[in-house]
Amino acid sequence: MKGSWLPISLRETLQCAYSPRPLTSCRQQALNIRPRQFTTASRKQAIAAPEINFRDRRDRDPGRGGWEREREIGYQGGGEEQSAFVARLLPVSPSYFTAQPLFTDDFLVLQNLMTKHSGLPCVKPGEHPRVAWRSLSEYRDRVGETVKAAKYHKIVEILVRLNKIHPSVRPEEVQTALDQYKRNIDPFKNEQKTAQVDSLGRTLGAGRRKSATARAWLVEGTGEVLVNGKSLADAFGRVHDRESVIWALKATNRIDKYNVWALSMGGGTTGQAEALTLAVGKALMAHEPALKPALRRAGCLTRDPKRVERKKPGHVKARKMPAWVKR
Amino acid sequence: MAASINCWKCLSRPSIAVIQLSSRVARVAASAPFSSTSTNLALPAPTRKAASTTKGVKTNLKINKKPRPKESRKPPATGERKALRKRIVLSNTNALEVAGMEDLSPEIVDAIAKDTAEGEAGSGLVGKVVGLPGATVDSLRAIEAFKTTQGWGLFRRPGTLIRKETADLTRALLAAQKEKSTLTLMLDGAKGTGKSMMLLQAQASAFAKSWIVLHIPEAQELSNGVNDYAPIPGSDLWAQPTYTAEWLAKIGKANNEILKTLKMKNTHNLPVPIEKDITLARFCELGSRDPDIAWSFFQAFWTELNLPGRPPVLLTLDGMSYIMGMSEYRDTDNKFIHCHNLALVKHFADHISGTSKLANGGAIIGSTSRSHNPISLSMDLAIYQALQRQAKQEITQKDPFEKKYDERATKALQNASAMMIGGLTKKESRGLMEYWAASGVLRQRVDEQTVAERWALAGHGVAAEIQRGALRMRI
């Protein structure tokens, strides 16, 4: 969800809606109107100079820079007990004066981490765990700044480098930093389930087409096909539909090697027949995984996503317009 | 709007003058309500001339439709289109002659019967196509055994595939001939599995074995009210004179070879005198001349056939469910006549039920039709029960809550045996496809792959579907 170009107040709402987990847990988000530019206080150990002991400084340092001097003025009346009187709000992070202060902070945090842990051993090339990082638009929404792609890519580069540190020696802080940039859902964990041959020698495949769904069980046999308890000729009147059902077997020359027992429901005859193509194809692939390229070429593994196009207002059907009438 | 009487929505009251006028009109109308004298006497209204047409103004706003184009050629003569539709073509000179195809001779019929008795290693005729000899083809054509949908016109000469069921049926026929018993059989199976073809094969075998074959090719012609009918005096039966006369002619023509060798033995009570010692062929011919006497002649003919020393008889009927309920004919009370009150149908029903036997042996075979046929629950149940009886399974009883059973149909079919005809086996399919390939009709390699594919696509070898897929859908 892109929200970079929205007004700040709306961005806040968007972020609440889309981010259950804060990007940086340390970032202060208590206030409704987030004082972004002033809330880097807890990170300044990492970024800016160490915290200033004003009393010492006042004694010691005659030539002080602008923002520190102002802070000093702020504390002039406070004295020892550090009362909350603030004459003027001060930026906590020096990044305040950059174009993208939050991005700069994030970048510096990661860069420091990288330099700090650059000596740690890495895993062998290609053996590091695959991680899907947050996308640029997601990051932009988080920070609410106009971050360029190239800039964000620098962050990702550092993340990739940090990810190569061997997991057994990876420091806690590195891990937390990495976790902050990981996508909520790890797409690489989603492994496709492969159908197995069961104890009775059957494999099950499922397929869909239009609004029809089909399941097909395949066993080694002599080429008998039953669809919903009926033979192919009874189940489908069109020869083309019948051919669709056993297309996976025909394309691989295995019609007389397997028996098919299938159930199909929903949709029309063509939908059911072509849903069965997919189901039989997948079931066959479970028997013989080596047939995958052949089946892919025969179009027995790809779900056709086309559906009925919806009707539009002002149209008679999806595209059809009413007849033109003069006045 | 002016305040008229009829204007009921108007709030203003009608004036008195209007009310008086209207009541006077009503009184005048009441005095002579139906008189049309004045209108008749009145001069005819002057015919209004067409409205004066001013130049450039179109008066007729109606858009004239184009008249239907007149047919330039002569329409086909009566019956011509039907003849074209019903035409049976039995030969295709472009198809190749299949070398080594045997003819269905009496010896081959015996071999077929032996075939499955000895198992797979018999004469090896199962799964092969056997040609029909010329005389048999003529006879089969005479009894209208060939159908237009069976694809005879694709091949050089008629041939038929011998399958396991053929062997079973042939064996049963020969056993009936040997034991002089009557085989009663119902053939059933899905659409396109070859029920009519099985009848044809039985008839061909019967012709080869010198039986007398009687065939009703379309049972619906008996029951759907297209033929004339007349009550038979002294009974509740109805004859169908014209159909019977035509049928007798067909029987005489188809079985001419045998019938002309058989002489009348008994004297019968016939409405017309006939010569003595005429052949049965001649007798059939005489009976077919006059529809009014045809039924008596058929009865006499049947009696003659059942005399000792006559050949066995095969009586077949196609489309059994048409004659298992009420017909379209009506009796004198304008009620529908039950099919079994039609004399010809009753003749068949009596024989398939076993109440009348064939003295010289033979078979009564009825086959069902599974395309556009009426549903006969009794017949379906009878077939189902017969199959279960033959398989020695528990027999399904009829549904006690179903009212559509026909008692007479149940009674007629309860003793008959049944044969369920399914798809071809792969071996038979292969034999058929090899015959097509040898005829040059199927231009494709016939190997296990193609046979398996055709067999599966045809719903486990339904013969008509194999043919549809392999021969008709090619282009």
Side-chain angles (χ1 to χ4, degrees):
Chain A
M1 181 74 195
K2 281 192 176 171
S4 317
W5 316 109
L6 291 171
I8 284 205
S9 57
L10 281 183
R11 266 188 241 151
E12 292 290 336
T13 338
L14 268 181
Q15 281 161 22
C16 291
Y18 285 96
S19 59
R21 200 179 67 168
L23 179 63
T24 46
S25 54
C26 49
R27 194 168 285 166
Q28 181 185 344
Q29 294 191 339
L31 290 174
N32 232 353
I33 303 164
R34 192 196 294 176
R36 276 223 173 79
Q37 289 81 343
F38 316 114
T39 53
T40 49
S42 57
R43 310 165 93 209
K44 62 196 164 192
Q45 290 88 348
I47 313 159
E51 202 161 351
I52 307 149
N53 190 338
F54 292 106
R55 215 159 289 171
D56 295 349
R57 288 205 175 186
R58 217 184 298 154
D59 299 339
R60 183 177 79 209
D61 197 357
R64 283 174 290 226
W67 62 280
E68 280 174 6
R69 209 184 313 136
E70 283 161 13
R71 186 178 280 186
E72 185 189 338
I73 294 161
Y75 279 99
Q76 264 178 354
E80 290 262 343
E81 58 271 350
Q82 294 202 352
S83 74
F85 174 74
V86 178
R88 189 175 161 189
L89 285 175
L90 295 177
V92 185
S93 158
S95 314
Y96 173 68
F97 299 104
T98 62
Q100 290 92 20
L102 291 191
F103 164 76
T104 316
D105 286 349
D106 289 341
F107 179 69
L108 288 175
V109 168
L110 290 174
Q111 211 172 30
N112 288 344
L113 274 177
M114 190 167 70
T115 43
K116 187 175 166 191
H117 301 296
S118 58
L120 290 175
C122 292
V123 292
K124 280 180 193 167
E127 283 185 7
H128 58 272
R130 288 187 78 182
V131 178
W133 307 113
R134 286 179 194 281
S135 65
L136 171 63
S137 59
E138 210 175 337
Y139 181 74
R140 277 176 182 164
D141 289 345
R142 300 273 164 162
V143 295
E145 294 167 355
T146 46
V147 184
K148 283 184 178 172
K151 294 275 183 76
Y152 183 60
H153 188 66
K154 285 183 178 172
I155 287 191
V156 174
E157 273 177 350
I158 299 170
L159 289 172
V160 169
R161 171 65 188 84
L162 288 175
N163 191 40
K164 283 180 183 165
I165 297 173
H166 200 280
S168 58
V169 293
R170 194 180 284 170
E172 183 77 30
E173 52 179 352
V174 173
Q175 191 57 51
T176 36
L178 288 178
D179 286 347
Q180 283 164 15
Y181 289 91
K182 277 181 185 170
R183 246 184 242 174
N184 289 347
I185 294 167
D186 184 2
F188 303 112
K189 272 187 185 164
N190 180 21
E191 281 180 16
Q192 269 208 327
K193 279 180 232 160
T194 47
Q196 299 295 324
V197 183
D198 70 4
S199 59
L200 298 171
R202 301 171 299 190
T203 53
L204 168 64
R208 291 198 185 86
R209 169 84 168 93
K210 293 185 181 180
S211 54
T213 59
R215 281 171 290 161
W217 283 265
L218 223 67
V219 284
E220 284 181 24
T222 55
E224 291 174 38
V225 185
L226 283 182
V227 179
N228 292 341
K230 288 176 277 187
S231 75
L232 216 45
D234 293 339
F236 296 104
R238 285 179 72 212
V239 176
H240 188 276
D241 286 344
R242 295 178 203 164
E243 282 182 345
S244 295
V245 174
I246 56 168
W247 180 246
L249 297 171
K250 193 189 170 185
T252 51
N253 277 345
R254 268 154 181 81
I255 289 180
D256 53 347
K257 305 283 191 296
Y258 292 98
N259 287 353
V260 183
W261 193 90
L263 296 174
S264 66
M265 55 200 294
T269 45
T270 309
Q272 291 198 347
E274 291 179 12
L276 279 165
T277 311
L278 221 67
V280 173
K282 285 181 186 170
L284 178 59
M285 205 172 70
H287 270 292
E288 300 181 50
L291 287 180
K292 186 172 180 178
L295 289 170
R296 166 93 53 217
R297 265 179 272 125
C300 299
L301 300 178
T302 316
R303 158 86 154 108
D304 187 349
K306 287 185 284 184
R307 299 296 304 263
V308 176
E309 188 174 337
R310 64 152 290 188
K311 188 198 172 298
K312 319 286 186 308
H315 288 245
V316 185
K317 302 196 293 181
R319 307 271 177 98
K320 186 184 181 185
M321 286 296 281
W324 180 82
V325 182
K326 189 183 179 187
R327 277 180 290 278
Chain B
M1 182 193 274
S4 71
I5 318 169
N6 298 330
C7 178
W8 58 274
K9 273 185 183 171
C10 195
L11 287 175
S12 62
R13 302 185 52 159
S15 68
I16 292 169
V18 171
I19 293 172
Q20 280 174 345
L21 183 73
S22 63
S23 61
R24 208 185 310 137
V25 170
R27 238 181 288 128
V28 168
S31 64
F34 298 117
S35 170
S36 58
T37 323
S38 56
T39 45
N40 283 349
L41 286 176
L43 285 171
T47 49
R48 191 182 282 178
K49 278 189 179 175
S52 58
T53 50
T54 38
K55 209 176 179 185
V57 176
K58 214 179 182 182
T59 48
N60 190 8
L61 286 174
K62 196 180 164 194
I63 299 164
N64 283 328
K65 269 189 180 174
K66 264 189 187 171
R68 271 179 85 181
K70 274 183 188 167
E71 290 219 357
S72 53
R73 64 188 181 87
K74 230 172 75 180
T78 316
E80 192 181 312
R81 277 187 284 211
K82 184 176 181 184
L84 201 66
R85 199 173 69 235
K86 299 269 176 188
R87 194 167 54 126
I88 306 282
V89 181
L90 293 181
S91 174
N92 174 15
T93 45
N94 289 326
L96 301 174
E97 184 91 49
V98 179
M101 190 163 76
E102 285 173 289
D103 270 6
L104 194 70
S105 58
E107 298 80 54
I108 291 291
V109 174
D110 287 333
I112 292 168
K114 265 184 215 154
D115 207 354
T116 33
E118 295 164 14
E120 286 293 309
S123 63
L125 276 169
V126 168
K128 284 201 175 154
V129 176
V130 166
L132 300 174
T136 308
V137 170
D138 291 343
S139 297
L140 289 173
R141 196 196 260 279
I143 57 169
E144 295 180 15
F146 297 113
K147 291 194 167 191
T148 48
T149 50
Q150 288 167 339
W152 299 103
L154 293 169
F155 306 100
R156 185 73 168 218
R157 68 192 193 91
T160 176
L161 175 78
I162 304 301
R163 46 196 286 194
K164 189 185 156 292
E165 286 87 347
T166 318
D168 293 343
L169 183 55
T170 313
R171 197 161 51 250
L173 290 177
L174 294 188
Q177 181 180 20
K178 201 175 174 188
E179 297 157 14
K180 289 189 187 280
S181 61
T182 311
L183 168 71
T184 56
L185 184 65
M186 301 177 281
L187 293 179
D188 192 20
K191 186 181 167 186
T193 43
K195 302 177 287 295
S196 298
M197 191 61 87
M198 198 58 64
L199 274 188
L200 183 138
Q201 290 178 344
Q203 288 153 359
S205 307
F207 280 124
K209 282 285 181 181
S210 304
W211 289 27
I212 290 168
V213 180
L214 294 80
H215 179 46
I216 297 172
E218 282 284 353
Q220 59 171 325
E221 285 178 8
L222 290 174
S223 65
N224 66 1
V226 295
N227 289 303
D228 57 341
Y229 67 118
I232 297 172
S235 71
D236 59 347
L237 297 182
W238 301 75
Q240 287 158 296
T242 311
Y243 188 89
T244 316
E246 285 171 4
W247 197 44
L248 262 182
K250 281 187 225 164
I251 294 166
K253 195 179 168 197
N255 302 289
N256 197 31
E257 286 295 308
I258 314 157
L259 290 181
K260 72 184 177 191
T261 62
L262 304 174
K263 296 231 166 154
M264 290 282 285
K265 284 183 182 166
N266 289 6
T267 47
H268 300 277
N269 187 19
L270 293 170
V272 289
I274 53 161
E275 310 153 41
K276 258 199 156 186
D277 288 346
I278 58 168
T279 62
L280 285 180
R282 173 78 181 140
F283 184 72
C284 283
E285 197 194 325
L286 288 176
S288 66
R289 280 188 185 167
D290 184 1
D292 292 339
I293 58 167
W295 177 243
S296 328
F297 268 66
F298 175 73
Q299 280 177 307
F301 174 68
W302 191 258
T303 323
E304 283 290 329
L305 287 187
N306 280 307
L307 292 178
R310 302 288 198 198
V313 174
L314 175 66
L315 173 60
T316 53
L317 178 139
D318 204 344
M320 238 188 347
S321 59
Y322 282 100
I323 54 157
M324 291 298 154
M326 303 306 278
S327 71
E328 298 289 316
Y329 293 105
R330 290 180 186 263
D331 63 6
T332 45
D333 299 333
N334 201 28
K335 286 187 178 134
F336 286 114
I337 300 171
H338 193 279
C339 276
H340 291 191
N341 278 346
L342 300 168
L344 262 178
V345 176
K346 185 163 190 299
H347 179 79
F348 177 81
D350 282 348
H351 282 86
I352 202 165
S353 67
T355 47
S356 309
K357 298 270 182 192
L358 300 170
N360 301 306
I364 317 292
I365 307 178
S367 103
T368 62
S369 165
R370 287 296 176 201
S371 61
H372 187 63
N373 62 319
I375 295 165
S376 169
L377 291 180
S378 301
M379 186 193 75
D380 289 347
L381 182 70
I383 291 170
Y384 199 56
Q385 285 177 336
L387 289 171
Q388 285 178 326
R389 203 163 47 233
Q390 284 154 222
K392 298 197 169 65
Q393 294 169 346
E394 193 184 347
I395 289 171
T396 309
Q397 296 305 315
K398 71 175 185 182
D399 182 0
F401 299 105
E402 181 58 64
K403 290 175 183 170
K404 288 179 183 168
Y405 288 116
D406 190 293
E407 274 307 310
R408 299 179 72 175
T410 308
K411 224 169 226 169
L413 300 179
Q414 64 190 357
N415 294 323
S417 54
M419 181 187 271
M420 183 60 90
I421 297 170
L424 304 177
T425 62
K426 288 219 176 125
K427 187 187 166 199
E428 290 159 2
S429 312
R430 181 159 193 167
L432 194 59
M433 288 175 71
E434 276 170 356
Y435 168 68
W436 292 341
S439 297
V441 185
L442 179 71
R443 310 186 71 177
Q444 192 184 357
R445 261 185 65 187
V446 179
D447 55 6
E448 263 184 49
Q449 290 288 338
T450 50
V451 171
E453 187 198 336
R454 290 287 160 211
W455 186 84
L457 287 177
H460 302 175
V462 173
E465 295 287 348
I466 299 181
Q467 192 186 28
R468 182 183 164 197
L471 301 188
R472 311 229 159 180
M473 300 277 294
R474 250 178 340 123
I475 305 149

